[in-house]
Amino acid sequence: MPTNILSKEQYLEDRNNLIEADRSLRRDRASIQARSALEAEADEIIRRIRTEEATSIWRAEHPDIPHPFPGMEFLTGKQVIEETRIFEILSRMPKGALLHIHIGATVNTRTLLALALQQPAIHIRVPQLLSVENISSVLPEFMSLPTGSYNLDGESVSSNEYLPNTWVNAARARERFDPSLGGPEGFDRWIVNAMTLTPLEAYGTHNTVTKRLVHFLPIFKQYLRIFLLASVDDGISYVEVRMDFYFAKDLISADGKRTVTHREVLELFDATVNEVKGELVRENRGHKFLGARIIYTAFRALDPKDLYYYVDDCLNLKKEFPHIIAGAAILDRLSKRSLNQTEPGFDLVGNEDELRPLIDYIEPLLYFRKRQAQESVEIPFLFHAGETLGDGNLTDDNMYDALLLGTRRIGHGFSLVKHPKLLQACRERNILLEVCPISNEVLRLTSSMPTHPLPTIINHGVPVALCSDGPSVFGNMGLTYDFFQLLVSSEITGLSTLGVLARDSIQFSMMLTDEKQIALEIWEAEWSEFLQFIVAHYKQ
Amino acid sequence: MPTNILSKEQYLEDRNNLIEADRSLRRDRASIQARSALEAEADEIIRRIRTEEATSIWRAEHPDIPHPFPGMEFLTGKQVIEETRIFEILSRMPKGALLHIHIGATVNTRTLLALALQQPAIHIRVPQLLSVENISSVLPEFMSLPTGSYNLDGESVSSNEYLPNTWVNAARARERFDPSLGGPEGFDRWIVNAMTLTPLEAYGTHNTVTKRLVHFLPIFKQYLRIFLLASVDDGISYVEVRMDFYFAKDLISADGKRTVTHREVLELFDATVNEVKGELVRENRGHKFLGARIIYTAFRALDPKDLYYYVDDCLNLKKEFPHIIAGAAILDRLSKRSLNQTEPGFDLVGNEDELRPLIDYIEPLLYFRKRQAQESVEIPFLFHAGETLGDGNLTDDNMYDALLLGTRRIGHGFSLVKHPKLLQACRERNILLEVCPISNEVLRLTSSMPTHPLPTIINHGVPVALCSDGPSVFGNMGLTYDFFQLLVSSEITGLSTLGVLARDSIQFSMMLTDEKQIALEIWEAEWSEFLQFIVAHYKQ
């Protein structure tokens, strides 16, 4: 960048060179240079529609949404997003793999409720009489009762005769829900609201009402099936779910009488995945779904000495089910402590002071690595780290440990851009960030997409896969919403960038090499079909 | 970062090395290694108080401020900031140079009003009768009338007999302001509110009421004097003010009869600076103030061909007043177009579509450089650029032009962190960012300090000076508030970091080499006194 060029032509040439150099680290560069005329045309179309809709949709009047803009707070702007053609188009995009999602928050809450109501074992209780005034603040509690303890003819939780804190069959409670509270539909609204974050609640504490339902084995199986099928419908061909084995111990058998072993959970998982595969093959959609694996996850409130049990458990399960265990995310959801203290995360359990950084667990983690080496078993680390606004706090520092422990991906890495050496390490060592834009925004790490660090991460050449994190809570089912938010967050980013992220999600998954190969070939064919669809329908 | 270390000791050593490497680009590293025991102790004290006050002040109940937190929106949290000991301490810190402030927004609005009321030439009008209902939305208009046109006995603007849009002497309007509107004090409240951004208004359009007052030469002179003295009281020893010569043509002489030439403005500026210097010398505070310069600024809505006039004008003034013209910020306030369209900036004048990026002016700017070379006059560029949430929009792209044109500093550079090559260029070529954290937040580029890119900029080793931008509008008089916001935005940052920023503000100013030397020597002595003060008063 010399300072004494004086001709305009020379200046403009230097300018183009500088812009190109500045963008040279982006992972979409090679792919843009090599892209087909078809992809270039589809990209142009998407850019045009994005620009048009910035005015035609986002500057139009929307009742109850003052001042909408592309990339605005998701829970408030969601209905506007759904009006756009960009959203309609992206819903058809082949999205590759979903690499970061917590098993307890995967399925639409209305669907989960419907599943629960089919189970006579599922009961409900409330701590006080329900009224029009308190219904939006009283949270229901669910439980699968053992056969023999069912209460199939109790009063509904809305009845004046209801004795607070007694269990009533959920379907019956719904059926007889008081008309003044909306009857059965009022019951559904109440439960769904209690399981979902609303814009107002996003700033406050949220109690997960869903856990007891998901943990009842007959529901769990259907729930998993629905999650996998819904993912396929959104263009996702492979998933890795984080399953927290601290909570998995709460799984309850069909008869409600005993907890379920970890082996049984994995067997059930395996059977369900195979069932879904078979179902899709029969519908001639076999190529749309390549499978699912579990990321073994332990809870961050554990005393470090208790982690040894989980480490050994994970190792044993991996040896027995090598095709199911994708990796280990020993600690999880550490980061919410770093949010403004007024805005706790949505599923923190336990006292804040009990939550620990990775460094506290360094001994069991080094032991884990040693045992893997001894047993010739490889269980890649896939740590959460840097899901924080801090710069030098414990959650931020977790990224140093994740890297030193050889993490293959980083869950979130929201604060990564603050750290020049870590940025460089992720780029050079090909460590992918599982970025969850909507989750981050709803949990108030950022106030809108234009202020999210994702464009910075992409410009610095760090591999990224978009993930939904906890869609049943945030309302971002599938990956279409998250891809939408990315597309409106940067004018450099276009359709080819989205394609690169989808490809990388496959490349950085824990599939085996030949599985990846097949997944990529299928993806390329679907991508090509997708581009043709865009050009056929939206060319002017 | 090997992946097979197995001893904890080795791990911890690697970890420290990685953290040190990650922080090695920070400009405070050398200074921390070399700092005195006194500075280390003072830094420790500041960190302790910051931690304590995060609970004792920020988690306490504050009427009307739900959920306060350190680094929250400035206009809402300001009164809490003022309760802290950190603020009290920082108000005594020697802050070095103030490098980015717009002349029209430098002085406390209450003071400006008092100045105006002393001038019989200053008149006021309103477009409609004032009432309790409309007073918060009706904006006053001021004007300095020529001698002979004074209206010293008209009705007050609050009187039923007042004829809308007629000029009334401002002092008389105040004196006779209707008791139902609060009388003279109600008048003051009305005017001050109209000149200041409130939390609610920060999201809407703001009309600058002040311009006509500042442009009346007798007020301008006093205004400048007050600004310089107030800066000195806040620990600022040197200032470079951006003066917009597109608007300077609106300056009106004492008799109200003619506009003032640019030469006259510079003479007045020079005389006022010298007066203030003399005054401080007489008070034995001569060392507290080293001077002030003007950054010649043109308006971004100009047709490119009209910029030639300003370029020549700047060159001629520089030749005549080499000690006053610090540099050229040919274009200014470009960036507000990139804010969400619902949140325009506070002093945009003219239609949005008329506003232009730097690249539109490339020909007159290259001509400017050529003329400087021909005439052997050096007028450093000090461009605004990157004051945007965009990634690849016109305002963001201005940074490429600023760098290619050889800018010595960048005003804002808010989006710099998105651009790896530009980050590197600023670091390696020593281009300082004039960062205005409170301005950025009030104008909604960021929702709070923890989400501001400043910690990222500092970690990447780009030189930074903190600036107030438009304190009379944002309420961040002096630099204490901005230093406060920096200190609570990162746990890595401490007192030594603030010292480095203050030193850099001197180092990267447009003072001459020997002036800088003197400024630095004085600053070091004051810094040492400041550290002693902290230890003497706050040691436990």
Side-chain angles (χ1 to χ4, degrees), chain A residues 204 452 466:
Chain A
H452 193 285
L466 291 187

Side-chain angles (χ1 to χ4, degrees), chain A residues 369 400-406, chain B residues 1-3 5 11 14-15 18:
Chain A
R369 281 218 314 216
Y400 298 117
D401 295 295
L403 258 77
L404 286 167
L405 289 163
Chain B
M1 283 167 282
T3 54
I5 324 140
Y11 179 87
D14 287 358
R15 187 179 195 269
L18 177 58

Side-chain angles (χ1 to χ4, degrees), chain B residues 183-199:
Chain B
E185 287 73 29
F187 178 89
D188 294 348
R189 271 197 304 277
W190 170 48
I191 304 296
V192 167
N193 284 341
M195 294 198 278
T196 321
L197 277 172
T198 65

Side-chain angles (χ1 to χ4, degrees), chain B residues 102-120:
Chain B
H102 296 270
I103 187 70
T106 53
V107 168
N108 183 295
T109 47
R110 211 163 265 280
T111 311
L112 175 60
L113 176 60
L115 290 179
L117 291 170
Q118 291 162 16
Q119 299 292 337

Side-chain angles (χ1 to χ4, degrees), chain B residues 412-456:
Chain B
H412 293 288
F414 186 89
S415 62
L416 184 80
V417 298
K418 295 186 174 166
H419 302 289
K421 288 295 163 192
L422 300 182
L423 259 181
Q424 189 188 358
C426 285
R427 177 171 65 237
E428 292 177 356
R429 296 167 56 197
N430 264 331
I431 296 167
L432 172 134
L433 258 55
E434 301 160 355
V435 177
C436 311
I438 291 173
S439 160
N440 297 153
E441 186 269 303
V442 174
L443 295 174
R444 312 317 297 159
L445 287 166
T446 182
S447 59
S448 69
M449 275 312 294
T451 61
H452 193 285
L454 186 49
T456 308

Side-chain angles (χ1 to χ4, degrees), chain A residues 483-501:
Chain A
F483 272 100
F484 182 95
Q485 295 290 67
L486 167 61
L487 192 61
V488 298
S489 70
S490 157
E491 288 170 342
I492 302 174
T493 286
L495 189 63
S496 296
T497 321
L498 307 193
V500 168
L501 264 66

Side-chain angles (χ1 to χ4, degrees), chain A residues 50 70-75 78 81-82 84 86-87 90-91 93 95 97-101 105-106 234 236 412 414 434-443 446 448-450 452 454-455 458 464-490 493-494 497-498 501-502:
Chain A
R50 176 173 63 182
M72 71 183 293
E73 318 86 79
F74 176 68
L75 296 176
K78 186 176 176 187
I81 291 176
E82 290 166 355
T84 65
I86 291 285
F87 181 77
L90 292 182
S91 68
M93 174 184 152
K95 303 194 176 65
L98 170 53
L99 301 180
H100 187 123
I101 186 163
T106 54
D234 193 55
I236 295 162
H412 293 288
F414 186 90
E434 303 161 354
V435 177
C436 311
I438 291 173
S439 159
N440 298 152
E441 187 269 304
V442 174
L443 295 175
T446 181
S448 69
M449 275 312 293
H452 193 285
L454 186 49
I458 291 177
V464 165
L466 291 187
C467 307
S468 55
D469 202 13
S472 72
V473 183
F474 306 132
N476 57 333
M477 305 308 298
L479 281 173
T480 302
Y481 294 102
D482 287 282
F483 272 100
F484 182 95
Q485 295 290 67
L486 167 61
L487 192 61
V488 298
S489 70
S490 157
T493 286
T497 321
L498 307 193
L501 264 66

